[in-house]
């Protein structure tokens, strides 16, 4: 009996002395991070090939593909972290090697906002592609297209020359055959006259 009373007293003392969850100011505390949280997205425009795989696999449509005025990458992902569930599928599916063009390693993100629509802009992982890089890419693509055109023209000329040579050889062979059979005919005619 005495033991039960002292146990109750200890419980009541604890209830008064230990901080209670309901009275904690959780808004001012840093958000609890899961031990497997890999951070926000890091997107490298230099590595991206614009395959759209990250966008297609995203289960919650958190990715929007931004168009670029070049052929590769033609599009590049931007992520809305307000929708993202940090599953990492976009990183897993990204085909670039050895480094992924999109990966969840960009450090922590504070997910608490003032609650206005303007604040939601902070949740976007945007990609600022420098204008000089775009211009350089355009020049490279033009050079590549020019070389490809030259190569095609060369291949076509070679194929035509080969075809002509084959036709010529064929015509010569037919002519030689004709001459041979004419000679044979003459020889057999001469033999007949001798008899
Ligand atoms: S981590 Fe998951 S939810 Fe977030 S953008 Fe990538 S695929 Fe979508
Ligand atoms: S980030 Fe990766 S998966 Fe997404 S478009 Fe670029 S290359 Fe493709």
């Amino acid at each position: 009996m005495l033991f039960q009373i002292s146990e109750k007293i200890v419980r009541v003392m604890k209830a008064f002395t230990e901080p209670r969850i309901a009275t904690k100011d959780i808004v001012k505390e840093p958000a609890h991070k899961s031990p497997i949280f890999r951070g926000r997205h890091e997107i490298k425009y230099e590595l991206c090939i614009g395959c759209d795989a990250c966008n297609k696999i995203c289960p919650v449509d958190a990715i929007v593909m931004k168009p670029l005025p070049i052929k590769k990458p033609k599009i590049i992902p931007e992520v809305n972290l307000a929708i993202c569930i940090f599953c990492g599928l976009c990183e897993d599916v990204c085909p670039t090697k050895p480094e992924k063009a999109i990966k969840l390693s960009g450090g922590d993100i504070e997910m608490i906002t003032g609650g206005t629509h303007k604040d939601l802009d902070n949740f976007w992982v945007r990609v600022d592609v420098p204008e000089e890089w775009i211009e350089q890419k355009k020049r490279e693509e033009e050079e590549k297209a020019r070389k490809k055109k030259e190569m095609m023209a060369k291949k076509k000329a070679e194929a035509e020359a080969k075809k002509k040579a084959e036709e010529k050889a064929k015509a010569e062979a037919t002519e030689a055959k004709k001459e041979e059979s004419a000679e044979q005919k003459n020889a057999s005619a001469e033999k007949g006259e001798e008899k």
Side-chain angles (χ1 to χ4, degrees):
M1 182 70 177
L2 196 63
F3 175 71
Q4 283 169 341
I5 291 170
S6 53
E7 206 180 28
K8 268 187 184 174
I9 292 170
V10 170
R11 272 215 307 273
V12 170
M13 294 278 285
K14 264 189 183 175
F16 277 109
T17 52
E18 282 185 3
R20 280 163 292 174
I21 301 297
T23 58
K24 273 188 178 177
D25 189 356
I26 56 163
V27 176
K28 288 187 182 137
E29 280 188 9
H32 165 71
K33 298 276 178 349
S34 160
I36 56 166
F37 179 66
R38 291 189 282 175
R40 57 184 285 161
H41 301 64
E42 194 182 8
I43 300 162
K44 290 198 172 163
Y45 59 84
E46 313 94 307
L47 303 178
C48 180
I49 55 170
C51 67
D52 202 28
C54 51
N55 181 30
K56 281 185 186 148
I57 205 161
C58 180
V60 290
D61 283 342
I63 294 179
V64 171
M65 299 307 286
K66 174 167 124 174
L68 292 181
I70 47 176
K71 283 183 189 155
K72 205 170 176 182
K74 210 173 182 172
I75 43 176
I76 200 156
E78 290 189 330
V79 184
N80 186 351
L81 296 177
I83 299 174
C84 176
I85 55 170
F86 297 91
C87 64
L89 283 174
C90 50
E91 177 181 338
D92 294 343
V93 82
C94 181
T96 59
K97 283 180 185 172
E99 203 183 337
K100 303 269 185 182
I102 185 166
K103 56 184 176 181
L104 279 71
S105 59
D108 285 355
I109 174 155
E110 186 52 77
M111 299 298 282
I112 297 170
T113 72
T116 66
H117 282 292
K118 200 167 162 277
D119 292 328
L120 291 177
D121 286 343
N122 300 333
F123 287 169
W124 276 91
V125 179
R126 305 273 186 202
V127 188
D128 289 323
V129 186
E131 205 52 48
E132 312 87 68
W133 187 82
I134 298 246
E135 290 307 317
Q136 175 66 22
K137 272 280 185 187
K138 276 185 187 169
R139 283 195 291 275
E140 283 172 15
E141 282 174 0
E142 276 166 15
E143 181 64 11
K144 206 172 163 188
R146 190 187 62 75
K147 280 188 180 163
K148 194 177 171 187
K149 209 174 164 185
E150 272 178 19
M151 182 76 81
M152 297 281 279
K154 197 179 164 193
K155 274 189 180 169
K156 197 178 167 191
E158 281 172 1
E160 276 173 9
K162 194 180 169 191
K163 197 179 165 192
K164 272 184 187 168
E166 280 171 0
E167 281 171 359
K168 194 180 168 194
K170 207 173 165 185
E172 282 173 0
T174 317
E175 197 57 39
K177 235 179 188 177
K178 270 184 194 170
E179 281 174 16
E180 196 183 331
S181 77
E183 276 171 16
Q184 277 174 357
K185 266 185 190 172
N186 287 343
S188 44
E190 278 170 14
K191 268 185 189 173
E193 279 173 15
E194 278 172 15
K195 279 180 188 175

